[in-house]
Amino acid sequence: MPLRQIRANILIGTVAVPNPNGEDDKRTFGERFVQFLLRYMLPPHRDNETAAAYIQGKTDNPNLEWTVVRPTELTDGSASKYEMFSKPIDSLFGGDRSVTRANVAQSMVDMLLTKSLWDEWKFKMPTVYDDLN
């Protein structure tokens, strides 16, 4: 029996990129206004939103699996424990949570190397935060 090759794709965005399927909590008017400004004044943000919507529509290919990792405020620091959630848990403005760049990288490596973690987050848009404990 031939092996089935799966192509795992991890796209990185930010918590400011809304989940196109509408699973995120509704943002405040101020947050939606900032998202609007980012979309039209910052091309990389618009690219992130477009890429997330595009890959989310790619469900017709059984050999393509994906996730969109959305880190919160990025900081420098070493890898440590991190948490992943199905949607943002903070406001776009000054939330109490952040995540190190190392933890974002570690979360992506962990998903690729740990089948159960990949199965939990494939076809989803998790947010990543440093663990507070």
Side-chain angles (χ1 to χ4, degrees):
M1 172 189 240
L3 291 176
R4 186 174 144 216
Q5 291 210 329
I6 300 293
R7 295 180 188 224
N9 290 280
I10 298 178
L11 179 67
I12 188 165
T14 71
V15 292
V17 175
N19 191 331
N21 71 10
E23 288 182 4
D24 290 349
D25 293 336
K26 185 173 181 177
R27 297 284 190 177
T28 66
F29 174 78
E31 290 172 321
R32 291 192 316 271
F33 183 69
V34 167
Q35 285 176 311
F36 171 83
L37 291 176
L38 289 172
R39 186 174 301 122
Y40 292 101
M41 298 177 74
L42 193 63
H45 180 77
R46 182 175 51 243
D47 292 346
N48 282 340
E49 289 184 333
T50 302
Y54 176 81
I55 201 164
Q56 199 160 60
K58 292 295 176 188
T59 58
D60 57 343
N61 184 342
N63 296 322
L64 176 67
E65 295 179 352
W66 57 266
T67 187
V68 180
V69 174
R70 298 183 293 166
T72 187
E73 180 183 341
L74 291 170
T75 60
D76 292 327
S78 58
S80 60
K81 290 184 179 181
Y82 61 86
E83 297 179 286
M84 296 175 73
F85 298 92
S86 61
K87 57 188 173 184
I89 60 171
D90 274 344
S91 166
L92 284 180
F93 307 120
D96 293 335
R97 305 290 296 268
S98 63
V99 65
T100 64
R101 289 171 176 84
N103 277 346
V104 175
Q106 187 64 55
S107 72
M108 293 187 288
V109 169
D110 289 347
M111 279 193 282
L112 290 174
L113 297 179
T114 310
K115 183 177 178 355
S116 61
L117 192 59
W118 179 256
D119 288 343
E120 179 180 357
W121 294 111
K122 71 181 175 186
F123 306 123
K124 296 179 182 172
M125 295 181 62
T127 58
V128 184
Y129 299 85
D130 286 341
D131 189 351
L132 292 178
N133 297 324

